[in-house]
Amino acid sequence: MVFITESLIRKRAEHNEGELTTLEEVSLHQQDIEKIEYLDKWCRELRILYLQSNLISKIENVSRLKKLEYINLALNNIEYIENLSGCESLNKLDLTLNFIGTLSCVENLRDNMHLADLYLTGNPCADHEGYRDYVIATLPQLQKLDGVEITKTDRILALQKYDKISKRIEELDKQYAEKRKNQVNEYARTKPERDADENFWERQSEYTPESRIESHETMKKKREHESTETKPEPKPVRQYIGDDGRPLNCNEPKVDFKMYESDDDRYVILDVSVFRHMDTSLVDVDVQPTYIRITIKGKVLQLALPEEVNTTLSVAERSKTTGHLVIKMPKIHIKNSNISIETKSQKENKTEDKKPSTTSTYLELGKDPSSTVDYTQIVKQNKKNAKLKAKTISPKERENSVDFVDDPDVPPLI
């Protein structure tokens, strides 16, 4: 038995970023669900609900969904229409191929004033004499029944026949109730025999909710048995490097490309016709010295290069107009040319060599002074120091004030 869980609804609500409180539409079809629950508590804003192709036997726990406009319950085990009066906004109800045999239960939809479209095709009640006229007369708000538009003439004729049809429908409902009771008793009586019978698909049985559940369980066991017996063969792993260590060419995305050399014979250029409107984030480029690998939406385009290239100086650009991807890869060895491509480290070494060397103007032990000391610089430095000394001015002595009296008895200031 499959239950409606919070994780299941969040998984089905990816279009709403997994939010349940603001969820307006959810699809829970073909999940083998047997009971409707929690939706009226977790998803109060629901407008559209898909529950077709499950094993639901009762309509319940949806009466609080005031904004619900459409509910699809086709291909389930529902036998009675109920618990929908609280769905004030309900506009369309699909109960195709269920087991509703009591036609008078459509009266429970009278409170759904906005109900305009109803599907009961494939239910036992659709075989009742006067079925269409009875439903049209019972639900005056309907505009379509089983996909057929209801005209004013249809409604007038149905109302004229209602008194006579309603009595006949009441009798047919009682007959079906008795028939259904016998089906349940017969199923309970023959269940042990059916469980022991291995020829399930060869014996005949009535189409009932019980037989549908039994068929589903039998199919489920068969699939489980087959899955344990026959394990799927592992997919072969694609080889991108040969046994001899050389890269192999492959074009999994099946895109057009063109590889050529530049006019000055310094670069290897690869032009790939990437899909114009595809996001660049879905493209990954890996340049190796002897081959290039481009991954496009998980599929690999790998090509062996005619010459060894410099991976650090390779550049990849994409055209904004055509969407083409162009990779420009400089060659390591350039033929018939004295031009060489310098790496960053080589350039740094050259700049260091160009820096002016500074010689020490001081004497060092164990060395010839003539090789380390530049005497001309010493002379220039001495002349410079002498000029600086000549320019230094001694501070002037402060003059005495007018009222100054030189008294010899006063000791001098220290």
Side-chain angles (χ1 to χ4, degrees):
M1 181 175 180
V2 177
F3 298 93
I4 296 178
T5 61
E6 185 176 350
S7 60
L8 175 62
I9 301 177
R10 289 190 188 279
K11 183 180 179 180
R12 293 285 178 164
E14 294 177 351
H15 59 282
N16 198 46
E17 298 181 355
E19 289 289 333
L20 302 186
T21 55
T22 59
L23 186 63
E24 296 186 357
E25 179 180 341
V26 65
S27 179
L28 298 171
H29 65 285
Q30 296 180 342
Q31 296 294 312
D32 296 340
I33 297 170
E34 298 184 20
K35 185 178 181 181
I36 305 173
E37 51 189 349
Y38 304 121
L39 292 174
D40 57 339
K41 297 179 181 179
W42 296 339
C43 312
R44 300 292 288 272
E45 300 295 320
L46 271 182
R47 295 180 182 273
I48 300 174
L49 177 59
Y50 296 100
L51 286 167
Q52 67 270 28
S53 300
N54 284 294
L55 300 171
I56 299 169
S57 59
K58 185 178 180 180
I59 304 174
E60 57 186 339
N61 298 321
V62 293
S63 59
R64 294 183 183 179
L65 301 176
K66 305 296 182 182
K67 298 182 180 180
L68 187 65
E69 299 176 3
Y70 172 43
I71 179 171
N72 192 332
L73 287 164
L75 281 166
N76 278 282
N77 292 346
I78 297 171
E79 299 186 60
Y80 199 79
I81 301 174
E82 58 186 338
N83 301 323
L84 288 170
S85 58
C87 302
E88 300 172 356
S89 304
L90 188 63
N91 178 264
K92 183 177 179 180
L93 174 62
D94 193 343
L95 291 167
T96 303
L97 287 173
N98 277 274
F99 296 93
I100 300 170
T102 307
L103 184 57
S104 58
C105 66
V106 297
E107 296 180 1
N108 295 331
L109 297 174
R110 283 177 173 172
D111 294 335
N112 301 100
M113 300 305 298
H114 299 284
L115 183 63
D117 204 352
L118 176 64
Y119 287 85
L120 290 171
T121 305
N123 286 274
C125 66
D127 297 330
H128 286 6
E129 182 183 351
Y131 152 74
R132 183 174 175 82
D133 290 333
Y134 179 81
V135 175
I136 292 173
T138 305
L139 303 175
Q141 72 272 32
L142 276 186
Q143 297 177 10
K144 285 184 179 181
L145 177 60
D146 298 330
V148 180
E149 188 175 355
I150 301 172
T151 63
K152 291 183 179 179
T153 304
D154 294 337
R155 199 174 303 280
I156 292 171
L157 293 174
L159 290 171
Q160 291 174 351
K161 301 175 184 177
Y162 181 73
D163 291 338
K164 181 180 179 180
I165 294 173
S166 59
K167 293 180 181 179
R168 179 59 180 162
I169 294 300
E170 187 177 351
E171 294 176 1
L172 293 173
D173 284 350
K174 289 181 180 179
Q175 293 177 10
Y176 178 79
E178 187 67 24
K179 178 183 177 181
R180 182 76 186 100
K181 184 179 179 181
N182 294 332
Q183 286 177 347
V184 174
N185 294 335
E186 181 67 15
Y187 176 80
R189 186 183 66 82
T190 59
K191 190 175 186 305
E193 297 177 6
R194 290 194 309 275
D195 292 342
D197 187 4
E198 296 181 356
N199 300 323
F200 174 80
W201 300 109
E202 294 181 2
R203 74 169 178 268
Q204 295 181 352
S205 62
E206 291 188 83
Y207 184 61
T208 62
E210 292 79 19
S211 64
R212 185 169 183 263
I213 293 175
E214 188 179 19
S215 301
H216 176 268
E217 291 177 351
T218 304
M219 287 294 297
K220 186 178 179 181
K221 291 178 181 178
K222 184 178 180 181
R223 287 195 298 267
E224 291 176 353
H225 181 69
E226 290 176 352
S227 62
T228 53
E229 283 187 348
T230 58
K231 294 183 179 179
E233 296 181 359
K235 295 182 179 180
V237 180
R238 183 63 183 267
Q239 297 291 333
Y240 299 108
I241 304 297
D243 296 335
D244 56 355
R246 294 182 180 180
L248 302 176
N249 293 334
C250 67
N251 187 1
E252 293 178 355
K254 297 181 180 179
V255 293
D256 295 331
F257 62 89
K258 181 171 63 174
M259 184 182 291
Y260 57 94
E261 296 181 355
S262 60
D263 295 336
D264 56 3
D265 200 29
R266 296 176 58 190
Y267 298 92
V268 176
I269 301 174
L270 176 62
D271 186 343
V272 183
S273 301
V274 179
F275 310 112
R276 180 178 179 181
H277 299 289
M278 190 177 68
D279 195 336
T280 308
S281 62
L282 300 176
V283 181
D284 182 67
V285 179
D286 181 18
V287 180
Q288 297 294 330
T290 58
Y291 68 93
I292 181 171
R293 181 181 297 174
I294 303 173
T295 306
I296 303 173
K297 294 181 68 174
K299 297 182 179 180
V300 175
L301 167 65
Q302 180 170 290
L303 300 170
L305 299 175
E307 295 185 37
E308 189 175 356
V309 299
N310 191 320
T311 60
T312 58
L313 298 180
S314 298
V315 179
E317 295 180 348
R318 191 175 179 194
S319 173
K320 294 182 179 179
T321 55
T322 63
H324 283 212
L325 178 66
V326 179
I327 301 98
K328 191 175 182 181
M329 299 164 283
K331 299 179 181 179
I332 293 293
H333 306 291
I334 302 175
K335 299 177 181 179
N336 302 325
S337 177
N338 294 326
I339 303 173
S340 61
I341 300 172
E342 298 177 354
T343 61
K344 185 177 179 182
S345 59
Q346 291 172 341
K347 289 182 179 180
E348 290 177 352
N349 293 335
K350 285 193 174 183
T351 54
E352 290 179 359
D353 295 340
K354 292 180 180 179
K355 291 181 180 179
S357 60
T358 56
T359 56
S360 176
T361 57
Y362 300 95
L363 293 175
E364 296 182 11
L365 295 176
K367 291 186 178 181
D368 186 7
S370 60
S371 62
T372 58
V373 179
D374 189 352
Y375 293 101
T376 58
Q377 294 294 332
I378 294 176
V379 174
K380 290 180 181 179
Q381 186 67 28
N382 291 339
K383 288 182 179 180
K384 187 176 180 181
N385 294 338
K387 288 181 180 180
L388 290 174
K389 288 181 180 180
K391 288 182 179 180
T392 55
I393 303 172
S394 58
K396 293 182 179 180
E397 188 177 352
R398 181 181 172 184
E399 296 181 357
N400 295 331
S401 62
V402 180
D403 299 334
F404 176 74
V405 178
D406 189 8
D407 190 352
D409 295 330
V410 177
L413 295 174
I414 300 174

